[in-house]
PDB file of all heavy atoms in Angstrom:
ATOM      1  N   VAL A 219      -4.534   4.596  -7.814  1.00 84.00           N
ATOM      2  CA  VAL A 219      -5.101   5.206  -9.011  1.00 84.00           C
ATOM      3  C   VAL A 219      -3.963   5.392 -10.001  1.00 84.00           C
ATOM      4  O   VAL A 219      -3.010   6.112  -9.717  1.00 84.00           O
ATOM      5  CB  VAL A 219      -5.746   6.570  -8.687  1.00 84.00           C
ATOM      6  CG1 VAL A 219      -6.294   7.224  -9.936  1.00 84.00           C
ATOM      7  CG2 VAL A 219      -6.827   6.410  -7.638  1.00 84.00           C
ATOM      8  N   PRO A 220      -4.003   4.721 -11.175  1.00 81.00           N
ATOM      9  CA  PRO A 220      -2.914   4.861 -12.140  1.00 81.00           C
ATOM     10  C   PRO A 220      -2.854   6.270 -12.729  1.00 81.00           C
ATOM     11  O   PRO A 220      -3.854   6.967 -12.818  1.00 81.00           O
ATOM     12  CB  PRO A 220      -3.235   3.825 -13.218  1.00 81.00           C
ATOM     13  CG  PRO A 220      -4.611   3.372 -12.976  1.00 81.00           C
ATOM     14  CD  PRO A 220      -5.028   3.793 -11.616  1.00 81.00           C
ATOM     15  N   SER A 221      -1.650   6.684 -13.136  1.00 81.00           N
ATOM     16  CA  SER A 221      -1.469   8.024 -13.690  1.00 81.00           C
ATOM     17  C   SER A 221      -2.089   8.160 -15.076  1.00 81.00           C
ATOM     18  O   SER A 221      -2.404   9.247 -15.506  1.00 81.00           O
ATOM     19  CB  SER A 221       0.012   8.386 -13.740  1.00 81.00           C
ATOM     20  OG  SER A 221       0.705   7.452 -14.525  1.00 81.00           O
ATOM     21  N   SER A 222      -2.264   7.047 -15.767  1.00 81.00           N
ATOM     22  CA  SER A 222      -2.877   7.075 -17.089  1.00 81.00           C
ATOM     23  C   SER A 222      -3.676   5.800 -17.288  1.00 81.00           C
ATOM     24  O   SER A 222      -3.232   4.721 -16.910  1.00 81.00           O
ATOM     25  CB  SER A 222      -1.801   7.184 -18.174  1.00 81.00           C
ATOM     26  OG  SER A 222      -2.373   7.011 -19.448  1.00 81.00           O
ATOM     27  N   SER A 223      -4.841   5.921 -17.890  1.00 79.00           N
ATOM     28  CA  SER A 223      -5.661   4.741 -18.143  1.00 79.00           C
ATOM     29  C   SER A 223      -5.091   3.890 -19.283  1.00 79.00           C
ATOM     30  O   SER A 223      -5.453   2.736 -19.437  1.00 79.00           O
ATOM     31  CB  SER A 223      -7.093   5.152 -18.471  1.00 79.00           C
ATOM     32  OG  SER A 223      -7.105   5.950 -19.639  1.00 79.00           O
ATOM     33  N   LYS A 224      -4.165   4.460 -20.056  1.00 82.00           N
ATOM     34  CA  LYS A 224      -3.572   3.729 -21.176  1.00 82.00           C
ATOM     35  C   LYS A 224      -2.404   2.840 -20.741  1.00 82.00           C
ATOM     36  O   LYS A 224      -2.049   1.910 -21.434  1.00 82.00           O
ATOM     37  CB  LYS A 224      -3.092   4.713 -22.240  1.00 82.00           C
ATOM     38  CG  LYS A 224      -4.214   5.499 -22.869  1.00 82.00           C
ATOM     39  CD  LYS A 224      -3.689   6.499 -23.858  1.00 82.00           C
ATOM     40  CE  LYS A 224      -4.829   7.318 -24.421  1.00 82.00           C
ATOM     41  NZ  LYS A 224      -4.361   8.341 -25.348  1.00 82.00           N
ATOM     42  N   LEU A 225      -1.803   3.171 -19.586  1.00 75.00           N
ATOM     43  CA  LEU A 225      -0.646   2.415 -19.114  1.00 75.00           C
ATOM     44  C   LEU A 225      -1.051   1.414 -18.042  1.00 75.00           C
ATOM     45  O   LEU A 225      -1.955   1.674 -17.257  1.00 75.00           O
ATOM     46  CB  LEU A 225       0.408   3.363 -18.532  1.00 75.00           C
ATOM     47  CG  LEU A 225       0.981   4.400 -19.474  1.00 75.00           C
ATOM     48  CD1 LEU A 225       1.890   5.339 -18.708  1.00 75.00           C
ATOM     49  CD2 LEU A 225       1.749   3.738 -20.595  1.00 75.00           C
ATOM     50  N   THR A 226      -0.368   0.290 -18.024  1.00 74.00           N
ATOM     51  CA  THR A 226      -0.593  -0.666 -16.950  1.00 74.00           C
ATOM     52  C   THR A 226       0.551  -0.557 -15.949  1.00 74.00           C
ATOM     53  O   THR A 226       1.686  -0.247 -16.315  1.00 74.00           O
ATOM     54  CB  THR A 226      -0.664  -2.111 -17.482  1.00 74.00           C
ATOM     55  OG1 THR A 226       0.560  -2.411 -18.153  1.00 74.00           O
ATOM     56  CG2 THR A 226      -1.813  -2.295 -18.440  1.00 74.00           C
ATOM     57  N   VAL A 227       0.226  -0.796 -14.703  1.00 73.00           N
ATOM     58  CA  VAL A 227       1.217  -0.703 -13.641  1.00 73.00           C
ATOM     59  C   VAL A 227       1.516  -2.109 -13.153  1.00 73.00           C
ATOM     60  O   VAL A 227       0.613  -2.851 -12.781  1.00 73.00           O
ATOM     61  CB  VAL A 227       0.685   0.153 -12.473  1.00 73.00           C
ATOM     62  CG1 VAL A 227       1.702   0.209 -11.350  1.00 73.00           C
ATOM     63  CG2 VAL A 227       0.339   1.546 -12.952  1.00 73.00           C
ATOM     64  N   LYS A 228       2.784  -2.488 -13.224  1.00 73.00           N
ATOM     65  CA  LYS A 228       3.175  -3.794 -12.701  1.00 73.00           C
ATOM     66  C   LYS A 228       3.268  -3.696 -11.193  1.00 73.00           C
ATOM     67  O   LYS A 228       3.872  -2.788 -10.652  1.00 73.00           O
ATOM     68  CB  LYS A 228       4.503  -4.232 -13.291  1.00 73.00           C
ATOM     69  CG  LYS A 228       4.398  -4.469 -14.764  1.00 73.00           C
ATOM     70  CD  LYS A 228       5.484  -5.364 -15.243  1.00 73.00           C
ATOM     71  CE  LYS A 228       5.249  -5.604 -16.719  1.00 73.00           C
ATOM     72  NZ  LYS A 228       5.643  -6.883 -17.130  1.00 73.00           N
ATOM     73  N   ARG A 229       2.655  -4.629 -10.505  1.00 73.00           N
ATOM     74  CA  ARG A 229       2.616  -4.621  -9.046  1.00 73.00           C
ATOM     75  C   ARG A 229       3.761  -5.456  -8.497  1.00 73.00           C
ATOM     76  O   ARG A 229       3.728  -6.676  -8.516  1.00 73.00           O
ATOM     77  CB  ARG A 229       1.286  -5.178  -8.532  1.00 73.00           C
ATOM     78  CG  ARG A 229       0.094  -4.423  -9.030  1.00 73.00           C
ATOM     79  CD  ARG A 229      -0.074  -3.132  -8.304  1.00 73.00           C
ATOM     80  NE  ARG A 229      -1.157  -2.372  -8.925  1.00 73.00           N
ATOM     81  CZ  ARG A 229      -1.169  -1.091  -9.043  1.00 73.00           C
ATOM     82  NH1 ARG A 229      -0.187  -0.381  -8.594  1.00 73.00           N
ATOM     83  NH2 ARG A 229      -2.160  -0.470  -9.614  1.00 73.00           N
ATOM     84  N   HIS A 230       4.812  -4.781  -8.047  1.00 75.00           N
ATOM     85  CA  HIS A 230       5.949  -5.477  -7.452  1.00 75.00           C
ATOM     86  C   HIS A 230       5.730  -5.718  -5.972  1.00 75.00           C
ATOM     87  O   HIS A 230       6.277  -6.619  -5.394  1.00 75.00           O
ATOM     88  CB  HIS A 230       7.237  -4.674  -7.662  1.00 75.00           C
ATOM     89  CG  HIS A 230       7.549  -4.468  -9.102  1.00 75.00           C
ATOM     90  ND1 HIS A 230       7.966  -5.490  -9.916  1.00 75.00           N
ATOM     91  CD2 HIS A 230       7.468  -3.370  -9.885  1.00 75.00           C
ATOM     92  CE1 HIS A 230       8.151  -5.016 -11.145  1.00 75.00           C
ATOM     93  NE2 HIS A 230       7.854  -3.741 -11.151  1.00 75.00           N
ATOM     94  N   ARG A 231       4.940  -4.852  -5.366  1.00 78.00           N
ATOM     95  CA  ARG A 231       4.583  -5.043  -3.964  1.00 78.00           C
ATOM     96  C   ARG A 231       3.203  -4.447  -3.727  1.00 78.00           C
ATOM     97  O   ARG A 231       2.741  -3.574  -4.466  1.00 78.00           O
ATOM     98  CB  ARG A 231       5.605  -4.416  -3.027  1.00 78.00           C
ATOM     99  CG  ARG A 231       5.716  -2.942  -3.171  1.00 78.00           C
ATOM    100  CD  ARG A 231       6.663  -2.342  -2.177  1.00 78.00           C
ATOM    101  NE  ARG A 231       6.412  -0.912  -2.213  1.00 78.00           N
ATOM    102  CZ  ARG A 231       6.835  -0.056  -1.341  1.00 78.00           C
ATOM    103  NH1 ARG A 231       7.552  -0.460  -0.348  1.00 78.00           N
ATOM    104  NH2 ARG A 231       6.556   1.200  -1.438  1.00 78.00           N
ATOM    105  N   THR A 232       2.559  -4.901  -2.684  1.00 86.00           N
ATOM    106  CA  THR A 232       1.216  -4.439  -2.374  1.00 86.00           C
ATOM    107  C   THR A 232       1.274  -3.159  -1.559  1.00 86.00           C
ATOM    108  O   THR A 232       2.342  -2.626  -1.286  1.00 86.00           O
ATOM    109  CB  THR A 232       0.462  -5.518  -1.581  1.00 86.00           C
ATOM    110  OG1 THR A 232       1.196  -5.796  -0.379  1.00 86.00           O
ATOM    111  CG2 THR A 232       0.317  -6.787  -2.391  1.00 86.00           C
ATOM    112  N   LEU A 233       0.137  -2.674  -1.151  1.00 92.00           N
ATOM    113  CA  LEU A 233       0.077  -1.503  -0.289  1.00 92.00           C
ATOM    114  C   LEU A 233       0.654  -1.839   1.080  1.00 92.00           C
ATOM    115  O   LEU A 233       0.569  -2.979   1.536  1.00 92.00           O
ATOM    116  CB  LEU A 233      -1.369  -1.042  -0.123  1.00 92.00           C
ATOM    117  CG  LEU A 233      -2.088  -0.631  -1.407  1.00 92.00           C
ATOM    118  CD1 LEU A 233      -3.539  -0.300  -1.101  1.00 92.00           C
ATOM    119  CD2 LEU A 233      -1.409   0.546  -2.060  1.00 92.00           C
ATOM    120  N   ARG A 234       1.229  -0.847   1.739  1.00 95.00           N
ATOM    121  CA  ARG A 234       1.793  -1.019   3.080  1.00 95.00           C
ATOM    122  C   ARG A 234       1.112  -0.039   4.030  1.00 95.00           C
ATOM    123  O   ARG A 234       0.750   1.066   3.631  1.00 95.00           O
ATOM    124  CB  ARG A 234       3.302  -0.760   3.087  1.00 95.00           C
ATOM    125  CG  ARG A 234       4.073  -1.802   2.351  1.00 95.00           C
ATOM    126  CD  ARG A 234       4.054  -3.079   3.133  1.00 95.00           C
ATOM    127  NE  ARG A 234       4.764  -4.102   2.417  1.00 95.00           N
ATOM    128  CZ  ARG A 234       4.543  -5.376   2.564  1.00 95.00           C
ATOM    129  NH1 ARG A 234       3.622  -5.794   3.375  1.00 95.00           N
ATOM    130  NH2 ARG A 234       5.234  -6.256   1.893  1.00 95.00           N
ATOM    131  N   TYR A 235       0.954  -0.469   5.272  1.00 97.00           N
ATOM    132  CA  TYR A 235       0.269   0.320   6.286  1.00 97.00           C
ATOM    133  C   TYR A 235       1.174   0.501   7.488  1.00 97.00           C
ATOM    134  O   TYR A 235       1.926  -0.399   7.849  1.00 97.00           O
ATOM    135  CB  TYR A 235      -1.017  -0.395   6.717  1.00 97.00           C
ATOM    136  CG  TYR A 235      -1.933  -0.707   5.565  1.00 97.00           C
ATOM    137  CD1 TYR A 235      -1.803  -1.890   4.839  1.00 97.00           C
ATOM    138  CD2 TYR A 235      -2.940   0.168   5.188  1.00 97.00           C
ATOM    139  CE1 TYR A 235      -2.644  -2.181   3.779  1.00 97.00           C
ATOM    140  CE2 TYR A 235      -3.782  -0.114   4.122  1.00 97.00           C
ATOM    141  CZ  TYR A 235      -3.625  -1.287   3.432  1.00 97.00           C
ATOM    142  OH  TYR A 235      -4.460  -1.563   2.382  1.00 97.00           O
ATOM    143  N   GLU A 236       1.094   1.702   8.125  1.00 97.00           N
ATOM    144  CA  GLU A 236       1.952   2.005   9.260  1.00 97.00           C
ATOM    145  C   GLU A 236       1.208   2.922  10.228  1.00 97.00           C
ATOM    146  O   GLU A 236       0.501   3.834   9.808  1.00 97.00           O
ATOM    147  CB  GLU A 236       3.216   2.695   8.757  1.00 97.00           C
ATOM    148  CG  GLU A 236       4.215   3.034   9.808  1.00 97.00           C
ATOM    149  CD  GLU A 236       5.432   3.733   9.231  1.00 97.00           C
ATOM    150  OE1 GLU A 236       5.295   4.437   8.202  1.00 97.00           O
ATOM    151  OE2 GLU A 236       6.503   3.583   9.815  1.00 97.00           O
ATOM    152  N   SER A 237       1.377   2.686  11.538  1.00 98.00           N
ATOM    153  CA  SER A 237       0.764   3.496  12.576  1.00 98.00           C
ATOM    154  C   SER A 237       1.822   4.366  13.250  1.00 98.00           C
ATOM    155  O   SER A 237       2.943   3.913  13.481  1.00 98.00           O
ATOM    156  CB  SER A 237       0.103   2.603  13.627  1.00 98.00           C
ATOM    157  OG  SER A 237      -0.378   3.365  14.705  1.00 98.00           O
ATOM    158  N   THR A 238       1.452   5.619  13.605  1.00 98.00           N
ATOM    159  CA  THR A 238       2.396   6.497  14.282  1.00 98.00           C
ATOM    160  C   THR A 238       2.488   6.185  15.770  1.00 98.00           C
ATOM    161  O   THR A 238       3.484   6.519  16.400  1.00 98.00           O
ATOM    162  CB  THR A 238       2.008   7.977  14.115  1.00 98.00           C
ATOM    163  OG1 THR A 238       0.683   8.165  14.625  1.00 98.00           O
ATOM    164  CG2 THR A 238       2.102   8.399  12.676  1.00 98.00           C
ATOM    165  N   ASP A 239       1.461   5.561  16.340  1.00 97.00           N
ATOM    166  CA  ASP A 239       1.471   5.209  17.764  1.00 97.00           C
ATOM    167  C   ASP A 239       0.760   3.873  17.938  1.00 97.00           C
ATOM    168  O   ASP A 239      -0.456   3.813  18.091  1.00 97.00           O
ATOM    169  CB  ASP A 239       0.784   6.292  18.597  1.00 97.00           C
ATOM    170  CG  ASP A 239       0.993   6.110  20.082  1.00 97.00           C
ATOM    171  OD1 ASP A 239       1.559   5.076  20.489  1.00 97.00           O
ATOM    172  OD2 ASP A 239       0.588   7.002  20.849  1.00 97.00           O
ATOM    173  N   SER A 240       1.523   2.791  17.917  1.00 97.00           N
ATOM    174  CA  SER A 240       0.927   1.460  17.982  1.00 97.00           C
ATOM    175  C   SER A 240       0.367   1.118  19.354  1.00 97.00           C
ATOM    176  O   SER A 240      -0.302   0.114  19.508  1.00 97.00           O
ATOM    177  CB  SER A 240       1.944   0.403  17.549  1.00 97.00           C
ATOM    178  OG  SER A 240       3.079   0.449  18.385  1.00 97.00           O
ATOM    179  N   SER A 241       0.622   1.943  20.383  1.00 98.00           N
ATOM    180  CA  SER A 241       0.007   1.702  21.684  1.00 98.00           C
ATOM    181  C   SER A 241      -1.443   2.187  21.700  1.00 98.00           C
ATOM    182  O   SER A 241      -2.249   1.724  22.492  1.00 98.00           O
ATOM    183  CB  SER A 241       0.802   2.380  22.799  1.00 98.00           C
ATOM    184  OG  SER A 241       0.744   3.784  22.661  1.00 98.00           O
ATOM    185  N   VAL A 242      -1.813   3.099  20.807  1.00 98.00           N
ATOM    186  CA  VAL A 242      -3.190   3.576  20.680  1.00 98.00           C
ATOM    187  C   VAL A 242      -3.956   2.696  19.691  1.00 98.00           C
ATOM    188  O   VAL A 242      -5.034   2.185  19.989  1.00 98.00           O
ATOM    189  CB  VAL A 242      -3.225   5.053  20.228  1.00 98.00           C
ATOM    190  CG1 VAL A 242      -4.649   5.501  19.940  1.00 98.00           C
ATOM    191  CG2 VAL A 242      -2.590   5.933  21.278  1.00 98.00           C
ATOM    192  N   ALA A 243      -3.401   2.519  18.494  1.00 98.00           N
ATOM    193  CA  ALA A 243      -4.015   1.678  17.465  1.00 98.00           C
ATOM    194  C   ALA A 243      -2.905   1.066  16.622  1.00 98.00           C
ATOM    195  O   ALA A 243      -2.055   1.772  16.111  1.00 98.00           O
ATOM    196  CB  ALA A 243      -4.950   2.493  16.584  1.00 98.00           C
ATOM    197  N   SER A 244      -2.928  -0.239  16.518  1.00 98.00           N
ATOM    198  CA  SER A 244      -1.942  -0.914  15.674  1.00 98.00           C
ATOM    199  C   SER A 244      -2.604  -1.269  14.348  1.00 98.00           C
ATOM    200  O   SER A 244      -3.827  -1.359  14.254  1.00 98.00           O
ATOM    201  CB  SER A 244      -1.405  -2.165  16.363  1.00 98.00           C
ATOM    202  OG  SER A 244      -2.439  -3.105  16.538  1.00 98.00           O
ATOM    203  N   VAL A 245      -1.772  -1.477  13.333  1.00 98.00           N
ATOM    204  CA  VAL A 245      -2.289  -1.833  12.016  1.00 98.00           C
ATOM    205  C   VAL A 245      -1.409  -2.936  11.439  1.00 98.00           C
ATOM    206  O   VAL A 245      -0.191  -2.913  11.578  1.00 98.00           O
ATOM    207  CB  VAL A 245      -2.352  -0.593  11.079  1.00 98.00           C
ATOM    208  CG1 VAL A 245      -0.983  -0.024  10.815  1.00 98.00           C
ATOM    209  CG2 VAL A 245      -3.052  -0.918   9.783  1.00 98.00           C
ATOM    210  N   ASN A 246      -2.045  -3.920  10.808  1.00 97.00           N
ATOM    211  CA  ASN A 246      -1.305  -4.982  10.142  1.00 97.00           C
ATOM    212  C   ASN A 246      -0.680  -4.385   8.888  1.00 97.00           C
ATOM    213  O   ASN A 246      -1.376  -3.795   8.056  1.00 97.00           O
ATOM    214  CB  ASN A 246      -2.243  -6.140   9.795  1.00 97.00           C
ATOM    215  CG  ASN A 246      -1.521  -7.313   9.200  1.00 97.00           C
ATOM    216  OD1 ASN A 246      -0.830  -7.190   8.201  1.00 97.00           O
ATOM    217  ND2 ASN A 246      -1.684  -8.465   9.807  1.00 97.00           N
ATOM    218  N   ALA A 247       0.625  -4.534   8.739  1.00 96.00           N
ATOM    219  CA  ALA A 247       1.362  -3.893   7.642  1.00 96.00           C
ATOM    220  C   ALA A 247       0.931  -4.387   6.264  1.00 96.00           C
ATOM    221  O   ALA A 247       1.091  -3.673   5.277  1.00 96.00           O
ATOM    222  CB  ALA A 247       2.859  -4.117   7.822  1.00 96.00           C
ATOM    223  N   LYS A 248       0.397  -5.594   6.168  1.00 95.00           N
ATOM    224  CA  LYS A 248       0.030  -6.133   4.856  1.00 95.00           C
ATOM    225  C   LYS A 248      -1.460  -6.045   4.559  1.00 95.00           C
ATOM    226  O   LYS A 248      -1.845  -5.805   3.425  1.00 95.00           O
ATOM    227  CB  LYS A 248       0.480  -7.588   4.758  1.00 95.00           C
ATOM    228  CG  LYS A 248       1.981  -7.736   4.720  1.00 95.00           C
ATOM    229  CD  LYS A 248       2.383  -9.174   4.539  1.00 95.00           C
ATOM    230  CE  LYS A 248       3.892  -9.300   4.515  1.00 95.00           C
ATOM    231  NZ  LYS A 248       4.327 -10.670   4.280  1.00 95.00           N
ATOM    232  N   THR A 249      -2.325  -6.259   5.565  1.00 96.00           N
ATOM    233  CA  THR A 249      -3.765  -6.314   5.312  1.00 96.00           C
ATOM    234  C   THR A 249      -4.505  -5.025   5.600  1.00 96.00           C
ATOM    235  O   THR A 249      -5.613  -4.829   5.121  1.00 96.00           O
ATOM    236  CB  THR A 249      -4.414  -7.436   6.146  1.00 96.00           C
ATOM    237  OG1 THR A 249      -4.252  -7.131   7.536  1.00 96.00           O
ATOM    238  CG2 THR A 249      -3.810  -8.791   5.827  1.00 96.00           C
ATOM    239  N   GLY A 250      -3.928  -4.124   6.407  1.00 96.00           N
ATOM    240  CA  GLY A 250      -4.581  -2.871   6.729  1.00 96.00           C
ATOM    241  C   GLY A 250      -5.640  -2.985   7.810  1.00 96.00           C
ATOM    242  O   GLY A 250      -6.486  -2.106   7.953  1.00 96.00           O
TER     243      GLY A 250
END
């Protein structure tokens, strides 16, 4: 969610995902 509707945000990288315990549930860092 951008901080202002008047400004555009340049996307240098996509969202990142991380799991606290990958033995219970793992997550793909790029796709979620």
Side-chain angles (χ1 to χ4, degrees):
V219 178
S221 59
S222 171
S223 61
K224 296 177 183 178
L225 299 174
T226 59
V227 178
K228 294 202 177 213
R229 302 283 174 216
H230 300 289
R231 63 176 194 166
T232 59
L233 299 176
R234 291 289 178 205
Y235 305 88
E236 182 181 30
S237 174
T238 58
D239 191 353
S240 59
S241 66
V242 173
S244 64
V245 63
N246 184 304
K248 292 184 180 183
T249 63

